[in-house]
Amino acid sequence: MPGLSILPVSALMAFVPMIAALIMVYRQHGLHGINVLSKHVFQFNRHNGAAWIPVALLFIPIVCTLEFLILRVIGIPIPLPQITPSETTFFSIAFFVGAIGEEIGWQGYAYPALRKNYNALTAALILGVIWALWHVIPFLQLGRSFHWIIWHSLSAIALRIIIVWLYENTRHSVYIAVLFHTMINVSWALFPISGSYYDPFVTFLILAFAVGLIVFIYGARTLKQTVPSE
């Protein structure tokens, strides 16, 4: 997440959701279940929404650009981002691996289980709250303020709704969730300076507006585009 010039030891918990999911799947379906879940992460083709890949890759960079402009307009002396190819490549690889560790558990296992009993928006909200609380300890270790953690947690809930929206519109692709999760971390780590100027309140306002549009257009029940032939 933003401000990652120094990672706390608890950042390693990114792999705990994956481990927990694999254990649960193994208990329920054995090695075959683990194989199916693992393959599900990288199964992505034109039949399950390749057109959504640009959305997953560009959504958060656009949010960060808007935030940068807003901060400039309101008079925050935020410097221009200093982005290098080597730094971008490093963050992309590192955060992609971490996103796999989280999304196998969150979107690959926990969300489908919640979806059995709730509509898409409610399931996303429940998972979003859990996901936000999951990150509280690392943020405390990074010395984040109560105000920062509250607004960032609300942003995380909004982000989970967006992840679910992408997931539902790509025929349950965990890969799209991994890509989007990767871009969350890459974009904010590259935000000036190493994410130190990131303002979770401004981020939440932008994301809340985006989520409102998504729910209005796609509906809370499925968050999915209606296809007449289905």
Side-chain angles (χ1 to χ4, degrees):
M1 307 302 279
L4 290 175
S5 56
I6 300 176
L7 280 171
V9 175
S10 57
L12 293 174
M13 73 183 195
F15 299 98
V16 173
M18 177 183 69
I19 294 171
L22 293 177
I23 291 173
M24 294 299 294
V25 169
Y26 178 76
R27 291 180 62 184
Q28 296 168 357
H29 306 290
L31 291 175
H32 174 71
I34 290 180
N35 185 51
V36 171
L37 179 60
S38 300
K39 287 183 177 179
H40 190 44
V41 176
F42 298 102
Q43 286 179 342
F44 199 95
N45 54 53
R46 64 185 180 85
H47 297 296
N48 61 355
W52 289 85
I53 290 180
V55 180
L57 293 176
L58 297 176
F59 195 102
I60 295 302
I62 291 173
V63 168
C64 286
T65 299
L66 288 174
E67 179 176 343
F68 176 85
L69 294 174
I70 290 171
L71 292 176
R72 276 289 185 94
V73 168
I74 64 177
I76 302 297
I78 179 173
L80 292 173
Q82 303 296 319
I83 301 174
T84 64
S86 59
E87 188 178 39
T88 302
T89 300
F90 171 77
F91 280 133
S92 297
I93 295 172
F95 287 133
F96 182 78
V97 173
I100 291 174
E102 287 205 50
E103 293 305 330
I104 285 180
W106 300 131
Q107 206 60 42
Y109 182 81
Y111 175 75
L114 287 168
R115 190 67 175 87
K116 293 177 182 178
N117 299 309
Y118 303 98
N119 66 31
L121 179 59
T122 302
L125 286 169
I126 294 172
L127 187 57
V129 170
I130 297 171
W131 189 41
L133 292 174
W134 181 258
H135 290 90
V136 169
I137 291 177
F139 292 142
L140 288 173
Q141 290 182 337
L142 285 170
R144 298 301 184 185
S145 67
F146 176 78
H147 175 272
W148 192 99
I149 291 174
I150 288 296
W151 288 114
H152 183 79
S153 295
L154 290 173
S155 295
I157 295 170
L159 286 169
R160 182 52 59 179
I161 295 172
I162 296 169
I163 290 175
V164 166
W165 168 62
L166 292 168
Y167 174 85
E168 291 287 356
N169 283 281
T170 53
R171 298 186 182 180
H172 303 168
S173 169
V174 177
Y175 182 65
I176 201 77
V178 170
L179 285 182
F180 186 81
H181 193 144
T182 300
M183 291 309 299
I184 293 172
N185 293 334
V186 170
S187 299
W188 289 342
L190 295 176
F191 202 74
I193 298 171
S194 297
S196 61
Y197 277 86
Y198 159 70
D199 187 327
F201 174 69
V202 176
T203 300
F204 173 71
L205 293 180
I206 299 170
L207 292 176
F209 178 77
V211 166
L213 285 178
I214 289 170
V215 174
F216 177 76
I217 295 171
Y218 291 84
R221 189 175 67 83
T222 63
L223 293 177
K224 184 179 179 180
Q225 189 175 35
T226 301
V227 180
S229 60
E230 290 186 346

